Amino acid sequence: MDLLPNAPLTLETKYHVLVEISHKLRDTLDLDEILNQLLDTLRVITHYDAAGIFVVNRDVDIAYGSGRRPKTLIAAISQRGFDPSPIEQDRMLSRGDGVVGFVIKEGQSVVIPDVRVDSRYVIGRCETLSEIAVPIMLNEHIIGALNLESDRLAAFNENDLELLRFFADAAAISIEKAVLHQKLIEKEHTDRQLKNAREVQMQLVPKCPPLVPGYEISGICLSAFDIGGDYFDYIALDDHKLGIAIADVSGHGISAALVMSAFRALLRTQVRVQPDPALTVQFINRTLPEFIGESDFVTAVYGMLNPANGQFTYANCGHPPPLLFRAAGEIEHLDSGGPALGVFDHHKFATGQVNMRLGDLLILYTDGVTEAFSPDGNSFGAERLTGVIRQSLTLPVHEIISAIVDAVKSFASSDLFLDDFTLVFVRRTSH
């Protein structure tokens, strides 16, 4: 179906345009194929020397309200008659300059009889003399732009503008369906990657507690997201001693999980050559910045339990102090150590030491436990935590952990955690 140049848009023309678009696009959801088919269809119904369909990057604030320029304004593109150039060298694609950028940002159609005298025009091809461009909109949102260029002056008029607007409206649904389909595929790919990453991360956390004669040990790590930055560990050491660690990486998600993995590797390597917890964390503190970003840090407690005499030697690195519930009723807070790791390179850490006696209970936890919030904005807090523990002291340690999890969920009125949630319990049950 060929139209006369600049001919009015009749009902019959509209019908044929819709049929042509529907016929070409009915069997595909591939965005690149759709854009190419649209340009081929457009060439059948009107004349151009160069043309382009541009799909907006949904992650970009078009108005630049945040004050930050995006890397690319355009997420997908199909062109005819232009020499391909890298995105970073194309001012329209990378910065939103030019006529198409104006149309996308302002949502206005333009007809330019002579591009040489229009300040908005950015040279894309030397032969172009006139241009027409319209936004592609769906539900009042700009999803892209359609642009035609001609080697003749004043090649486009209001009839062409009406045709191009109608074409853009007809194409919008097909483009949107393809974009959503592409995002769905990307999400499924990301979900698979996160699932694999979570499976790998779960291998880094103990599946079951160590069997230490005279002690009852249990731990749990619940991630707020698919993967998290909390960590706990049991490490078998020489002379039947046991390393116990708990850590919390700043931030969430994949970046936090990567930092946690680096921390775990450094810790497990160092404890086998350095028995002093303070010297162990000093080494990690100096080395960790090589693996993390400038704003990242890790709070942690690493301790070494001597089961023979109940001695627990530890270093606390900016972490919520572990609680030692004495059988007699008092509570001790284990806060000896220093600041969070990765903050001050050459800080010297102190070693703390306590002796666990028969019936004593040691609790290590991350702030995801105490900083869970109720619907009215109150935090669970250390006082509620100690209250639940006191009420459950006669239970096995794994049941005390379950009681805390249930209490926090009830307090927050949610089965989901806003932060990673980790607990480690050690009780001395015999001499």
Side-chain angles (χ1 to χ4, degrees):
M1 179 190 66
D2 291 311
L3 295 179
L4 293 174
N6 310 126
L9 188 63
T10 64
L11 287 175
E12 183 182 3
T13 303
K14 291 181 179 180
Y15 170 76
H16 284 296
V17 169
L18 290 175
V19 169
E20 191 78 17
I21 291 176
S22 175
H23 177 73
K24 288 283 185 68
L25 306 182
R26 64 187 176 187
D27 296 326
T28 182
L29 283 171
D30 181 85
L31 182 58
D32 289 335
E33 184 176 349
I34 284 174
L35 297 182
N36 283 314
Q37 292 280 15
L38 286 171
L39 284 186
D40 291 343
T41 302
L42 192 59
R43 184 178 285 283
V44 173
I45 63 177
T46 192
H47 174 78
Y48 61 76
D49 292 302
I53 298 183
F54 308 87
V55 179
V56 170
N57 185 346
R58 303 295 174 87
D59 298 326
V60 169
D61 178 0
I62 293 175
Y64 305 146
S66 63
R68 293 182 292 108
R69 290 273 183 171
K71 277 190 174 181
T72 59
L73 178 67
I74 303 304
I77 182 174
S78 180
Q79 291 180 310
R80 300 286 188 274
F82 292 95
D83 292 330
S85 61
I87 288 179
E88 61 274 11
Q89 296 179 14
D90 190 312
R91 290 168 52 191
M92 194 286 292
L93 299 180
S94 61
R95 296 165 46 187
D97 291 345
V99 174
V100 172
F102 170 83
V103 167
I104 289 173
K105 286 184 281 188
E106 300 298 329
Q108 298 178 19
S109 302
V110 294
V111 179
I112 304 175
D114 188 349
V115 297
R116 296 172 299 181
V117 296
D118 194 297
S119 61
R120 296 168 297 186
Y121 181 70
V122 173
I123 296 177
R125 56 193 298 275
C126 297
E127 301 87 351
T128 294
L129 291 176
S130 59
E131 182 173 6
I132 183 172
V134 300
I136 302 172
M137 304 185 70
L138 191 67
N139 298 327
E140 299 183 356
H141 294 287
I142 299 171
I143 65 172
L146 177 56
N147 170 64
L148 303 183
E149 299 186 14
S150 174
D151 297 346
R152 295 181 295 111
L153 289 171
F156 306 107
N157 63 14
E158 291 299 318
N159 291 330
D160 297 298
L161 186 60
E162 183 184 2
L163 172 63
L164 213 57
R165 281 174 173 164
F166 178 78
F167 187 89
D169 289 342
I173 293 178
S174 296
I175 292 173
E176 181 71 2
K177 285 171 61 179
V179 169
L180 294 177
H181 178 69
Q182 182 173 292
K183 286 186 174 293
L184 179 61
I185 292 175
E186 291 171 355
K187 182 180 184 302
E188 290 175 348
H189 179 66
T190 300
D191 288 345
R192 285 196 300 271
Q193 288 184 319
L194 288 174
K195 181 175 181 288
N196 293 338
R198 177 164 178 76
E199 289 174 355
V200 171
Q201 187 178 34
M202 293 307 295
Q203 298 298 319
L204 306 181
V205 176
K207 293 183 179 63
C208 56
L211 297 177
V212 180
Y215 292 83
E216 188 184 4
I217 301 173
S218 187
I220 190 173
C221 183
L222 303 174
S223 295
F225 303 95
D226 288 318
I227 55 177
D230 272 15
Y231 160 71
F232 78 95
D233 209 349
Y234 314 116
I235 307 170
L237 303 173
D238 293 339
D239 300 325
H240 305 290
K241 293 178 181 178
L242 179 69
I244 300 174
I246 191 168
D248 184 0
V249 177
S250 61
H252 302 284
I254 292 176
S255 61
L258 291 173
V259 175
M260 183 273 278
S261 298
F263 170 81
R264 178 185 184 274
L266 291 171
L267 175 67
R268 281 186 155 256
T269 300
Q270 185 65 12
V271 296
R272 303 193 186 283
V273 298
Q274 177 51 258
D276 187 335
L279 295 179
T280 292
V281 298
Q282 280 180 204
F283 169 81
I284 295 173
N285 185 53
R286 291 195 306 270
T287 311
L288 192 62
E290 299 176 15
F291 301 90
I292 64 177
E294 293 183 0
S295 60
D296 294 326
F297 61 89
V298 177
T299 69
V301 175
Y302 170 66
M304 181 175 60
L305 175 66
N306 184 345
N309 59 14
Q311 187 178 84
F312 184 68
T313 306
Y314 71 92
N316 186 331
C317 310
H319 199 80
L323 306 173
L324 180 59
F325 277 68
R326 294 295 188 181
E330 67 270 23
I331 301 175
E332 297 179 19
H333 295 77
L334 310 191
D335 53 10
S336 296
L341 302 171
V343 179
F344 304 106
D345 290 353
H346 301 291
H347 189 86
K348 290 187 176 181
F349 289 78
T351 299
Q353 190 174 93
V354 292
N355 290 304
M356 294 187 66
R357 299 185 287 269
L358 181 64
D360 287 353
L361 177 64
L362 175 65
I363 300 100
L364 299 86
Y365 64 95
T366 58
D367 60 13
V369 177
T370 53
E371 294 182 3
F373 288 93
S374 66
D376 57 4
N378 294 318
S379 63
F380 188 74
E383 187 174 342
R384 287 187 178 86
L385 174 61
T386 57
V388 174
I389 295 171
R390 284 195 184 281
Q391 293 171 7
S392 311
L393 279 175
T394 59
L395 299 175
V397 292
H398 71 274
E399 292 187 18
I400 302 177
I401 289 176
S402 295
I404 294 171
V405 172
D406 291 342
V408 172
K409 287 181 177 180
S410 176
F411 177 80
S413 298
S414 174
D415 287 336
L416 303 176
F417 297 103
L418 296 179
D419 195 3
D420 300 333
F421 181 110
T422 304
L423 287 162
V424 176
F425 275 54
V426 180
R427 174 188 274 152
R428 188 169 189 183
T429 56
S430 67
H431 291 294

PDB file of all heavy atoms in Angstrom, residues 231 259-270:
ATOM      1  N   TYR A 231      26.405 -13.817  58.419  1.00  0.00           N
ATOM      2  CA  TYR A 231      27.238 -15.019  58.343  1.00  0.00           C
ATOM      3  C   TYR A 231      27.500 -15.524  59.752  1.00  0.00           C
ATOM      4  O   TYR A 231      27.677 -14.751  60.686  1.00  0.00           O
ATOM      5  CB  TYR A 231      28.546 -14.652  57.646  1.00  0.00           C
ATOM      6  CG  TYR A 231      29.711 -15.588  57.873  1.00  0.00           C
ATOM      7  CD1 TYR A 231      29.731 -16.862  57.310  1.00  0.00           C
ATOM      8  CD2 TYR A 231      30.808 -15.180  58.625  1.00  0.00           C
ATOM      9  CE1 TYR A 231      30.821 -17.698  57.491  1.00  0.00           C
ATOM     10  CE2 TYR A 231      31.907 -16.007  58.813  1.00  0.00           C
ATOM     11  CZ  TYR A 231      31.906 -17.276  58.249  1.00  0.00           C
ATOM     12  OH  TYR A 231      32.974 -18.097  58.424  1.00  0.00           O
ATOM     13  N   VAL A 259      31.027  -9.505  49.791  1.00  0.00           N
ATOM     14  CA  VAL A 259      31.896  -9.079  50.890  1.00  0.00           C
ATOM     15  C   VAL A 259      31.933 -10.158  51.972  1.00  0.00           C
ATOM     16  O   VAL A 259      32.987 -10.472  52.536  1.00  0.00           O
ATOM     17  CB  VAL A 259      31.419  -7.737  51.468  1.00  0.00           C
ATOM     18  CG1 VAL A 259      32.245  -7.359  52.700  1.00  0.00           C
ATOM     19  CG2 VAL A 259      31.528  -6.632  50.428  1.00  0.00           C
ATOM     20  N   MET A 260      30.762 -10.732  52.257  1.00  0.00           N
ATOM     21  CA  MET A 260      30.702 -11.795  53.260  1.00  0.00           C
ATOM     22  C   MET A 260      31.585 -12.972  52.862  1.00  0.00           C
ATOM     23  O   MET A 260      32.301 -13.552  53.694  1.00  0.00           O
ATOM     24  CB  MET A 260      29.251 -12.248  53.442  1.00  0.00           C
ATOM     25  CG  MET A 260      29.062 -13.310  54.529  1.00  0.00           C
ATOM     26  SD  MET A 260      29.296 -14.994  53.955  1.00  0.00           S
ATOM     27  CE  MET A 260      27.695 -15.311  53.240  1.00  0.00           C
ATOM     28  N   SER A 261      31.552 -13.344  51.574  1.00  0.00           N
ATOM     29  CA  SER A 261      32.377 -14.456  51.103  1.00  0.00           C
ATOM     30  C   SER A 261      33.858 -14.154  51.277  1.00  0.00           C
ATOM     31  O   SER A 261      34.643 -15.038  51.661  1.00  0.00           O
ATOM     32  CB  SER A 261      32.065 -14.756  49.632  1.00  0.00           C
ATOM     33  OG  SER A 261      30.718 -15.144  49.472  1.00  0.00           O
ATOM     34  N   ALA A 262      34.249 -12.901  51.004  1.00  0.00           N
ATOM     35  CA  ALA A 262      35.647 -12.506  51.184  1.00  0.00           C
ATOM     36  C   ALA A 262      36.033 -12.563  52.652  1.00  0.00           C
ATOM     37  O   ALA A 262      37.111 -13.061  53.010  1.00  0.00           O
ATOM     38  CB  ALA A 262      35.862 -11.095  50.626  1.00  0.00           C
ATOM     39  N   PHE A 263      35.142 -12.077  53.519  1.00  0.00           N
ATOM     40  CA  PHE A 263      35.411 -12.119  54.968  1.00  0.00           C
ATOM     41  C   PHE A 263      35.578 -13.563  55.437  1.00  0.00           C
ATOM     42  O   PHE A 263      36.501 -13.892  56.182  1.00  0.00           O
ATOM     43  CB  PHE A 263      34.273 -11.442  55.734  1.00  0.00           C
ATOM     44  CG  PHE A 263      34.356 -11.643  57.226  1.00  0.00           C
ATOM     45  CD1 PHE A 263      35.201 -10.855  57.993  1.00  0.00           C
ATOM     46  CD2 PHE A 263      33.614 -12.638  57.854  1.00  0.00           C
ATOM     47  CE1 PHE A 263      35.297 -11.044  59.373  1.00  0.00           C
ATOM     48  CE2 PHE A 263      33.690 -12.839  59.217  1.00  0.00           C
ATOM     49  CZ  PHE A 263      34.541 -12.039  59.975  1.00  0.00           C
ATOM     50  N   ARG A 264      34.676 -14.433  54.995  1.00  0.00           N
ATOM     51  CA  ARG A 264      34.745 -15.836  55.405  1.00  0.00           C
ATOM     52  C   ARG A 264      36.067 -16.472  54.982  1.00  0.00           C
ATOM     53  O   ARG A 264      36.707 -17.205  55.768  1.00  0.00           O
ATOM     54  CB  ARG A 264      33.579 -16.613  54.791  1.00  0.00           C
ATOM     55  CG  ARG A 264      33.579 -18.100  55.120  1.00  0.00           C
ATOM     56  CD  ARG A 264      32.453 -18.808  54.375  1.00  0.00           C
ATOM     57  NE  ARG A 264      32.360 -20.221  54.735  1.00  0.00           N
ATOM     58  CZ  ARG A 264      33.060 -21.190  54.166  1.00  0.00           C
ATOM     59  NH1 ARG A 264      33.926 -20.896  53.199  1.00  0.00           N
ATOM     60  NH2 ARG A 264      32.900 -22.457  54.563  1.00  0.00           N
ATOM     61  N   ALA A 265      36.489 -16.220  53.749  1.00  0.00           N
ATOM     62  CA  ALA A 265      37.740 -16.802  53.259  1.00  0.00           C
ATOM     63  C   ALA A 265      38.936 -16.303  54.063  1.00  0.00           C
ATOM     64  O   ALA A 265      39.821 -17.092  54.434  1.00  0.00           O
ATOM     65  CB  ALA A 265      37.920 -16.464  51.778  1.00  0.00           C
ATOM     66  N   LEU A 266      38.958 -15.002  54.352  1.00  0.00           N
ATOM     67  CA  LEU A 266      40.054 -14.445  55.138  1.00  0.00           C
ATOM     68  C   LEU A 266      40.066 -15.027  56.545  1.00  0.00           C
ATOM     69  O   LEU A 266      41.120 -15.378  57.086  1.00  0.00           O
ATOM     70  CB  LEU A 266      39.936 -12.919  55.199  1.00  0.00           C
ATOM     71  CG  LEU A 266      40.197 -12.166  53.892  1.00  0.00           C
ATOM     72  CD1 LEU A 266      39.837 -10.687  54.048  1.00  0.00           C
ATOM     73  CD2 LEU A 266      41.656 -12.311  53.472  1.00  0.00           C
ATOM     74  N   LEU A 267      38.898 -15.126  57.155  1.00  0.00           N
ATOM     75  CA  LEU A 267      38.814 -15.642  58.522  1.00  0.00           C
ATOM     76  C   LEU A 267      39.279 -17.094  58.583  1.00  0.00           C
ATOM     77  O   LEU A 267      40.125 -17.463  59.416  1.00  0.00           O
ATOM     78  CB  LEU A 267      37.377 -15.532  59.023  1.00  0.00           C
ATOM     79  CG  LEU A 267      37.108 -16.141  60.404  1.00  0.00           C
ATOM     80  CD1 LEU A 267      37.836 -15.352  61.485  1.00  0.00           C
ATOM     81  CD2 LEU A 267      35.601 -16.193  60.701  1.00  0.00           C
ATOM     82  N   ARG A 268      38.745 -17.929  57.705  1.00  0.00           N
ATOM     83  CA  ARG A 268      39.078 -19.354  57.764  1.00  0.00           C
ATOM     84  C   ARG A 268      40.554 -19.603  57.444  1.00  0.00           C
ATOM     85  O   ARG A 268      41.136 -20.572  57.954  1.00  0.00           O
ATOM     86  CB  ARG A 268      38.187 -20.141  56.804  1.00  0.00           C
ATOM     87  CG  ARG A 268      36.796 -20.387  57.376  1.00  0.00           C
ATOM     88  CD  ARG A 268      35.951 -21.281  56.507  1.00  0.00           C
ATOM     89  NE  ARG A 268      34.941 -21.950  57.318  1.00  0.00           N
ATOM     90  CZ  ARG A 268      34.981 -23.207  57.705  1.00  0.00           C
ATOM     91  NH1 ARG A 268      36.025 -23.950  57.369  1.00  0.00           N
ATOM     92  NH2 ARG A 268      34.027 -23.739  58.439  1.00  0.00           N
ATOM     93  N   THR A 269      41.137 -18.758  56.630  1.00  0.00           N
ATOM     94  CA  THR A 269      42.565 -18.901  56.337  1.00  0.00           C
ATOM     95  C   THR A 269      43.414 -18.483  57.530  1.00  0.00           C
ATOM     96  O   THR A 269      44.373 -19.170  57.908  1.00  0.00           O
ATOM     97  CB  THR A 269      42.950 -18.051  55.109  1.00  0.00           C
ATOM     98  OG1 THR A 269      42.197 -18.482  53.981  1.00  0.00           O
ATOM     99  CG2 THR A 269      44.431 -18.177  54.811  1.00  0.00           C
ATOM    100  N   GLN A 270      43.041 -17.380  58.177  1.00  0.00           N
ATOM    101  CA  GLN A 270      43.864 -16.804  59.225  1.00  0.00           C
ATOM    102  C   GLN A 270      43.796 -17.582  60.534  1.00  0.00           C
ATOM    103  O   GLN A 270      44.806 -17.717  61.232  1.00  0.00           O
ATOM    104  CB  GLN A 270      43.458 -15.341  59.461  1.00  0.00           C
ATOM    105  CG  GLN A 270      44.327 -14.589  60.453  1.00  0.00           C
ATOM    106  CD  GLN A 270      45.775 -14.425  59.970  1.00  0.00           C
ATOM    107  OE1 GLN A 270      46.077 -14.672  58.806  1.00  0.00           O
ATOM    108  NE2 GLN A 270      46.655 -14.004  60.862  1.00  0.00           N
TER     109      GLN A 270
END
